[in-house]
Amino acid sequence: MKKTQHPSNNAVLGAPKGWDQSELPCGALPITRTECDGIPAVVSYWTPTAEELAALNAGRPVALWVVGSTMPPVALTVEA
């Protein structure tokens, strides 16, 4: 998937402090800082490639990877 600039984006995240770019590159990510039911949230937007769309249409699952040893509360949605 390709990170996508969205009209609501109001910030950019960089690699975490101390991140080793030689081990695993981490580029800038445009985000929208917002709230969900009064709880702070960060949203990034992603556009699937043609190959990914074909895989999704064939019933393949979406995989969410989080670096680290646990999973924070997350959500995957489709922009209306």
Side-chain angles (χ1 to χ4, degrees):
M1 298 230 177
K2 299 176 186 175
K3 57 187 173 186
T4 302
Q5 186 69 40
H6 188 270
S8 68
N9 288 149
N10 54 19
V12 176
L13 293 178
K17 185 177 181 179
W19 188 264
D20 184 352
Q21 292 283 5
S22 66
E23 185 176 335
L24 180 64
C26 180
L29 178 64
I31 61 160
T32 301
R33 293 190 187 277
T34 188
E35 289 187 354
C36 179
D37 296 328
I39 299 170
V42 176
V43 182
S44 62
Y45 294 88
W46 300 82
T47 303
T49 65
E51 294 80 16
E52 289 167 330
L53 277 175
L56 289 168
N57 287 326
R60 300 299 307 239
V62 172
L64 172 66
W65 290 56
V66 175
V67 175
S69 59
T70 188
M71 179 75 71
V74 299
L76 290 175
T77 62
V78 174
E79 180 70 2

